[in-house]
């Protein structure tokens, strides 16, 4: 990850209901946490997903991956650092590092890719159609 990242990490305190029968965080929750961190990162740059949707912009997940390095348990506090790895106005690629807040140990790494569509499902270019939003995404780089 870029050590000069402009995006502040998202903090999450692991909840009991997020655990599985083995007492560790269920694997599906990491993807949810990555989405929470993405929304938080966008809001840090004044990008409201709610406002995007009101303007007719949707940003579906095209792909997502997650590599589990070590377990997160109930009551652990983690940091999720988001980095924009690619953005061109049509596609947004993000990388995530989930670390233990207290020890700094890497727990999980992940990526997600998103595109931008109008309400009918046609690909749009934020650079062309929504330059204000495009500029805010570029500031995240």
């Amino acid at each position: 990850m870029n050590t000069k990242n402009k995006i502040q990490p998202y903090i999450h305190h692991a909840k009991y209901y997020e655990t599985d029968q083995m007492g560790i965080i269920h694997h599906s929750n990491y993807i949810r946490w990555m989405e929470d961190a993405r929304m938080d990162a966008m809001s840090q740059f004044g990008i409201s997903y709610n406002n995007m949707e009101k303007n007719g912009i949707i940003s579906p997940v095209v792909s997502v991956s997650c590599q589990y390095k070590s377990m997160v348990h109930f009551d652990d506090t983690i940091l999720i650092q988001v980095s924009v790895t690619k953005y061109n106005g049509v596609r947004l690629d993000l990388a995530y590092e989930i670390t233990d807040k207290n020890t700094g140990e890497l727990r999980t790494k992940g990526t997600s890719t998103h595109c931008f569509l109008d309400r009918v499902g046609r690909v749009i270019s934020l650079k062309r159609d929504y330059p204000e939003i495009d500029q805010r995404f570029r500031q995240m780089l």
Side-chain angles (χ1 to χ4, degrees), residues 83-115:
S83 293
V84 176
T85 58
K86 180 180 178 183
Y87 173 74
N88 63 11
V90 175
R91 175 179 161 165
L92 173 67
D93 292 354
L94 300 167
Y96 308 86
E97 281 192 359
I98 299 175
T99 57
D100 185 282
K101 184 179 181 207
N102 295 322
T103 67
E105 182 180 358
L106 179 63
R107 302 292 187 189
T108 308
K109 292 176 83 167
T111 62
S112 64
T113 299
H114 310 265
C115 66

Side-chain angles (χ1 to χ4, degrees), residues 39 42-55 57 133 136-137:
M39 293 292 116
M42 288 170 55
S43 70
Q44 290 180 42
F45 288 83
I47 305 166
S48 162
Y49 195 78
N50 190 33
N51 286 340
M52 285 175 55
E53 285 187 336
K54 286 178 183 175
N55 285 312
I57 306 165
I133 297 172
R136 291 177 189 259
F137 274 109

